[in-house]
Amino acid sequence: MSSFSRPEILVFIPVALGILLFVHLRSRKLAKKRIRILVSKKLMSRLIPQFSEKRALLKFIFFLTSIVFCCFALSGPQWGSTQRSVTPQGIDLLIAVDLSKSMLAEDVSPNRLERVKLNISNLLDQVKGDRVGMIAFSGTAFLHCPLTLDHQAFSKTLNELEVGLIPKMGTDLGHPIDEARRSFSKDDKDKFLILISDGEDLEGRGLMQAKEAAKEGIQIFTIGIGSEKGARIPSSKIKAGVQNYLKDRQGNEILTKLDKSSLEKIATATGAQYVPLGPTGEGLSHVFKELRSIGEKKKREQLSTELPIDRFQVFLIIALFFLVLESLTITIKPKGRSGIMQCLLISLSLLGGCWVPDNIGKAELALAEGMPLKAAEHYISEIEIIKKSGNEPSAELLLNAGLAYSQGNDFEEANSLLNSSLDLSFDDPSIQSKALNALGNLHYHKTNQHLDNQDVNSARKTWEQALRNYKSAYSLDGNLKAQTNLDSLNQQIKNRIESMVSKLEGLVWRDVNGNGKKENTEPTLPAYIFWDKNGDGERNASTEPSIATNKLGQFAFEWISETYPTNLNLGSVLMENNKTTEAEVLLPLFPPPPPPFSARDAKNHYVEIKKPGPRFLPMPWRAAPLIKGKIWNDQNKDGKLDVNESALSSASLYFDLNGNFQLDENESSFKPSDDGSFAQLVPPGQYSLCVKPDSPEAIITKPVGDNKAYLTWVDFESPSDLLLFGIFDEQSGGNSSQQSQDQSNEGEETNDPNNQSNSQERKQDNSEPTTPEEVSGLYERLLQEMESKSEPLPQEGESFESIGSGRDY
């Protein structure tokens, strides 16, 4: 069956032909009349021998024919029909939340209103693709958020809900229902209102308005919150600290109770149902599931309609053909067949241009042949042509170019084109949805690249961006591809990131009592935690990654590995402000590594990560065992350090291991500094310290006794007392500058021999602090001397095991 969508145009076809024919004949008659004024009829054939009246008439007929077919095309010819399926959109859902003061009651945690906001926020994902809106009410109501597909905007308005937002207090359930009736579109058949309240309808208008809403096809699901026993109403918000409760005029505390009867009547009147919220929001979750099933059922329904097929294209092609013939027809007689051949060649050349594929056709052909980058080049060529003409390329053209680059793995170009398409398609949700889905795919690929490089932080950022793009694409037009990609991405990232990441947390502190646990009285130590790649115990800032602790000595970082178990070595270096003091040297303590390594190899923390997950790593530091003292030249041989006696450095100190008070080959010795002082790091324990002058004629005057040795005991956090060695050495002239300095600093103590020891201790405390390089060297020697005698430091959690390979931070 054939018809015309605009049949009135057909009436004007004979009128138009008559007018054109009249104009043509009139113009030809006037032309002949003017020619005859100049040239007689007998001479005309000689002056214009090749002019053909028949060809002029044929040219005009071609023109009229083209006009006729154009008129037929404009009249909208239609024949045949097709079935067109339309997928309806989701449901419209309004949520009305009670903001009366009774919603501050704390019979649910933290209070009724906060529990409702939290439950709604957690359940928004169940109504993807549906329009949602928000109504706030108490004594009156207003539309806080219109119906929208933008769930992020809805969440923002949800967070803004609070008691006091509506000045008029009280609870009138009729107002939110009336506001919902005005907010829903009259053409929509699926209209739902979720009414959340404690049900205390002080005005009693709710049931009446519900019956009117039911006539308009609105279903009202009611959610009751609160307890039937009642609860007191705080006079202030929960964050302000609840002290007082609302009271009536008689001074009695007001109890707010759940009135489920009014809520049940409202739900029943509209063919819906009432459910209590429940302690964890299970009632609201049940309603959302019901609405989600309704929305999914609606989306599965296909609305089909029979539509006629437009056929105007055929008439336009015929009109164009006759118009081309008219332009190629000449009014002079051709010589032989040269004119016909010329017309034929011109026609072929013009029509041949239609057969040459344009850039769009070439691009589609390249895509079909599996060459996306070649197709992208054709799209770009078309874009440049459009820009040169002063026009803007369409959003669809930019989208196709971006998709082609994306298929060719040129993600930078794809990202630029897709974002440009997104900017230009603000009024076309379909193109926006496709662009957002493609951008989500780009960020998904970037996430995989970051994970391959073990860059967890960057991977998480691109992962979150991909999630946002997929969610936005789905919310615009229910893009099923975006939903599939979203579900797939969540599963893959969970498998790749969450199954591979270990979070290491730790603490650096001064372990005074040595129990391996942080006590309240023990200070924390800000430090740098570094990955000791080469296992030498030293921090190489250029090749070994490190992080800084906070001011409380706490640190945390993530570690990712392709396989488990994996191992790494961690060390710590104190910051400059807390490395050492003049009186003590702080050293890190490491647990002994497992066999086959010995304790003297413990220069860092050997950490074995058996599986992903959290791990606590304590890093205690302690004041090292220190034997300290001074040697002086006892000029008067009295065994007392006088102010006029200088320091002596021409002697050696050694630890007497076998008790013979002589320096044997297996006993280590060390020299004092130039000012005669010494401070020696040693393992914890008891030591016999002796002195041996460099000069054989020198006499040891202190300590007094036959052995001339000190027996001392040292431990971590427990250095030795100041050990003084007096030596009478006539060959040593003393240090005049040192002697002068000692006299200036201790002039007041010259006449008090009992204060000589204290004076020497103060001079020792004013000595230069040990440098970090010296600390490292001394500690390494200390570990070598301790060897297997050291006991493992008690640790919390699992023990640390063998060294192995690791990954970058």
Side-chain angles (χ1 to χ4, degrees):
M1 180 179 179
S2 60
S3 61
F4 293 89
S5 60
R6 292 178 293 275
E8 63 274 7
I9 296 179
L10 298 176
V11 179
F12 293 99
I13 293 178
V15 178
L17 291 178
I19 294 174
L20 291 174
L21 183 60
F22 173 78
V23 172
H24 176 73
L25 295 176
R26 180 68 177 170
S27 64
R28 293 303 303 163
K29 184 176 180 181
L30 291 174
K32 289 179 180 181
K33 184 176 180 181
R34 290 172 182 173
I35 292 175
R36 287 172 184 173
I37 294 173
L38 299 175
V39 182
S40 65
K41 187 175 182 180
K42 296 180 180 180
L43 295 175
M44 188 180 298
S45 59
R46 296 181 181 181
L47 294 175
I48 315 176
Q50 294 181 344
F51 179 76
S52 175
E53 287 285 349
K54 294 181 180 180
R55 287 185 171 273
L57 180 60
L58 181 62
K59 185 178 180 72
F60 179 67
I61 291 173
F62 286 158
F63 175 72
L64 287 181
T65 305
S66 176
I67 294 298
V68 170
F69 279 100
C70 283
C71 291
F72 274 110
L74 288 174
S75 65
Q78 298 173 334
W79 64 82
S81 62
T82 182
Q83 293 289 333
R84 178 173 295 179
S85 298
V86 179
T87 302
Q89 299 299 317
I91 62 175
D92 286 345
L93 173 62
L94 281 174
I95 302 176
V97 179
D98 190 353
L99 296 183
S100 60
K101 286 187 177 180
S102 60
M103 294 296 286
L104 291 176
E106 298 175 347
D107 45 3
V108 292
S109 178
N111 61 34
R112 294 178 181 179
L113 179 59
E114 294 299 325
R115 170 54 58 184
V116 168
K117 290 164 62 176
L118 179 61
N119 291 149
I120 295 175
S121 178
N122 291 338
L123 296 172
L124 274 181
D125 287 341
Q126 295 190 16
V127 287
K128 294 178 181 177
D130 299 324
R131 295 198 305 168
V132 292
M134 175 70 66
I135 295 176
F137 74 94
S138 56
T140 183
F142 72 95
L143 186 62
H144 193 42
C145 176
L147 287 168
T148 178
L149 287 170
D150 188 354
H151 289 189
Q152 292 182 349
F154 177 85
S155 298
K156 183 178 180 181
T157 58
L158 175 65
N159 294 331
E160 294 172 354
L161 291 180
E162 60 181 9
V163 174
L165 186 64
I166 300 177
K168 186 178 180 181
M169 289 288 103
T171 303
D172 186 351
L173 299 182
H175 279 300
I177 299 175
D178 188 43
E179 185 67 29
R181 292 172 58 193
R182 291 193 295 268
S183 301
F184 283 122
S185 173
K186 294 182 179 180
D187 299 331
D188 198 346
K189 297 181 181 179
D190 296 291
K191 296 176 285 188
F192 300 96
L193 171 65
I194 296 180
L195 183 63
I196 305 176
S197 175
D198 51 23
E200 294 181 326
D201 189 3
L202 303 181
E203 302 295 332
R205 295 177 57 249
L207 181 58
M208 179 179 64
Q209 290 293 331
K211 292 179 180 179
E212 294 297 325
K215 297 177 182 179
E216 299 176 7
I218 301 175
Q219 290 183 273
I220 304 176
F221 290 85
T222 54
I223 306 291
I225 182 171
S227 62
E228 297 182 5
K229 296 180 180 180
R232 296 178 296 177
I233 304 175
S235 59
S236 58
K237 299 177 183 178
I238 188 171
K239 293 182 178 180
V242 179
Q243 295 287 337
N244 301 317
Y245 297 89
L246 294 181
K247 298 180 179 180
D248 56 18
R249 294 180 180 179
Q250 289 74 31
N252 300 321
E253 290 183 344
I254 300 174
L255 292 180
T256 173
K257 301 179 181 180
L258 172 63
D259 181 12
K260 68 177 183 179
S261 60
S262 58
L263 295 175
E264 288 176 343
K265 292 177 181 178
I266 291 174
T268 303
T270 61
Q273 56 181 309
Y274 160 81
V275 291
L277 180 67
T280 61
E282 57 268 21
L284 186 60
S285 176
H286 169 73
V287 172
F288 268 71
K289 288 180 180 178
E290 289 289 328
L291 296 178
R292 182 181 181 184
S293 63
I294 295 173
E296 290 179 350
K297 180 180 179 181
K298 181 181 177 183
K299 291 174 184 177
R300 288 194 295 267
E301 294 176 353
Q302 299 293 322
L303 302 181
S304 300
T305 181
E306 186 173 322
L307 298 176
I309 302 175
D310 291 324
R311 305 292 185 177
F312 66 90
Q313 300 92 342
V314 177
F315 292 91
L316 280 180
I317 293 174
I318 296 174
L320 179 62
F321 175 74
F322 279 103
L323 193 60
V324 171
L325 286 180
E326 188 274 337
S327 63
L328 296 178
T329 303
I330 56 178
T331 57
I332 61 174
K333 298 176 182 179
K335 294 180 180 180
R337 296 185 179 181
S338 60
I340 299 175
M341 293 300 296
Q342 185 178 6
C343 292
L344 182 60
L345 291 174
I346 293 174
S347 300
L348 291 175
S349 64
L350 292 175
L351 294 175
C354 300
W355 297 334
V356 178
D358 58 1
N359 287 317
I360 303 299
K362 292 178 180 178
E364 293 174 353
L365 183 61
L367 286 174
E369 295 176 352
M371 297 184 293
L373 292 179
K374 189 69 175 178
E377 293 177 2
H378 292 305
Y379 282 127
I380 294 299
S381 299
E382 184 68 18
I383 292 172
E384 291 176 351
I385 292 173
I386 295 175
K387 288 183 177 179
K388 288 179 181 179
S389 64
N391 298 320
E392 283 289 333
S394 65
E396 186 175 6
L397 180 58
L398 294 171
L399 172 64
N400 290 334
L403 292 174
Y405 273 119
S406 179
Q407 292 180 25
N409 295 329
D410 190 342
F411 300 123
E412 294 300 326
E413 289 291 337
N415 184 67
S416 176
L417 290 166
L418 291 173
N419 279 295
S420 299
S421 174
L422 197 61
D423 295 337
L424 294 176
S425 60
F426 59 90
D427 58 345
D428 193 335
S430 176
I431 294 180
Q432 276 198 327
S433 175
K434 293 177 181 177
L436 286 168
N437 181 61
L439 286 171
N441 292 336
L442 293 186
H443 288 103
Y444 167 73
H445 286 291
K446 290 182 180 179
T447 300
N448 282 329
Q449 291 175 355
H450 291 316
L451 289 178
D452 292 339
N453 296 328
Q454 310 300 326
D455 189 351
V456 182
N457 292 330
S458 299
R460 279 214 172 105
K461 292 178 182 178
T462 52
W463 172 31
E464 292 171 357
Q465 185 61 49
L467 290 177
R468 286 194 292 269
N469 288 333
Y470 287 143
K471 289 179 180 178
S472 299
Y474 180 76
S475 64
L476 281 173
D477 63 350
N479 192 324
L480 296 180
K481 288 185 178 179
Q483 179 63 35
T484 302
N485 291 336
L486 179 63
D487 296 338
S488 176
L489 175 63
N490 277 323
Q491 188 62 36
Q492 291 183 44
I493 298 304
K494 181 178 180 181
N495 293 339
R496 290 205 65 184
I497 290 184
E498 296 182 5
S499 63
M500 295 170 61
V501 173
S502 295
K503 185 174 183 181
L504 295 179
E505 298 178 343
L507 178 68
V508 182
W509 84 101
R510 181 169 174 178
D511 190 12
V512 177
N513 58 14
N515 65 352
K517 299 180 180 180
K518 172 67 172 67
E519 307 292 346
N520 294 333
T521 57
E522 295 175 342
T524 57
L525 302 173
Y528 296 100
I529 311 301
F530 65 95
W531 179 16
D532 189 11
K533 290 185 176 182
N534 56 13
D536 62 354
E538 301 293 332
R539 178 194 176 199
N540 189 329
S542 61
T543 61
E544 296 177 340
S546 64
I547 59 172
T549 67
N550 60 15
K551 295 181 180 180
L552 300 178
Q554 300 167 336
F555 65 90
F557 63 91
E558 291 180 336
W559 187 270
I560 185 169
S561 176
E562 293 181 350
T563 58
Y564 285 95
T566 186
N567 304 276
L568 67 156
N569 306 329
L570 294 179
S572 58
V573 177
L574 298 185
M575 296 184 180
E576 295 296 332
N577 58 347
N578 63 357
K579 280 188 174 180
T580 59
T581 66
E582 295 179 354
E584 59 191 11
V585 177
L586 297 182
L587 295 176
L589 297 185
F590 307 121
F597 304 102
S598 62
R600 64 182 180 183
D601 295 321
K603 298 180 181 180
N604 48 40
H605 292 268
Y606 296 87
V607 182
E608 181 182 16
I609 307 175
K610 295 182 178 180
K611 60 181 180 179
R615 181 74 175 271
F616 181 75
L617 182 62
M619 290 192 173
W621 286 63
R622 304 197 72 190
L626 194 67
I627 295 180
K628 56 185 180 179
K630 187 170 184 178
I631 305 175
W632 87 96
N633 193 351
D634 192 5
Q635 296 290 335
N636 55 13
K637 305 180 184 178
D638 62 350
K640 297 179 180 180
L641 177 60
D642 301 325
V643 296
N644 61 340
E645 294 177 339
S646 62
L648 181 68
S649 60
S650 57
S652 298
L653 295 145
Y654 65 94
F655 295 108
D656 184 26
L657 301 179
N658 54 15
N660 62 357
F661 304 104
Q662 294 181 3
L663 179 58
D664 300 323
E665 293 182 355
N666 63 333
E667 296 173 343
S668 60
S669 64
F670 57 93
K671 301 285 288 186
S673 58
D674 292 339
D675 63 353
S677 64
F678 60 89
Q680 183 68 12
L681 280 165
V682 294
Q686 182 173 287
Y687 295 90
S688 174
L689 183 63
C690 303
V691 65
K692 180 180 180 181
D694 292 348
S695 174
E697 289 79 14
I699 302 173
I700 302 173
T701 62
K702 188 176 178 65
V704 181
D706 296 335
N707 298 330
K708 305 297 183 183
Y710 282 105
L711 184 64
T712 185
W713 181 90
V714 292
D715 198 357
F716 291 104
E717 305 291 339
S718 300
S720 69
D721 296 331
L722 189 66
L723 307 181
L724 299 178
F725 287 94
I727 298 177
F728 172 70
D729 189 357
E730 292 181 339
Q731 297 181 1
S732 176
N735 189 333
S736 60
S737 62
Q738 178 68 26
Q739 183 177 353
S740 176
Q741 182 178 357
D742 293 343
Q743 290 175 352
S744 64
N745 292 338
E746 302 179 290
E748 296 180 359
E749 300 180 7
T750 304
N751 298 325
D752 189 359
N754 295 328
N755 290 335
Q756 291 176 355
S757 176
N758 294 332
S759 171
Q760 182 62 29
E761 289 185 22
R762 284 192 296 272
K763 290 197 296 179
Q764 171 64 23
D765 291 342
N766 292 331
S767 61
E768 292 295 327
T770 309
T771 64
E773 291 77 10
E774 292 172 342
V775 170
S776 178
L778 292 172
Y779 183 53
E780 185 171 352
R781 183 166 59 186
L782 170 64
L783 291 174
Q784 292 174 350
E785 291 179 355
M786 291 177 67
E787 294 186 343
S788 59
K789 297 179 181 179
S790 62
E791 295 295 331
L793 187 68
Q795 304 286 344
E796 290 184 337
E798 300 178 2
S799 62
F800 302 129
E801 300 185 7
S802 61
I803 183 172
S805 60
R807 299 292 174 190
D808 290 337
Y809 291 93

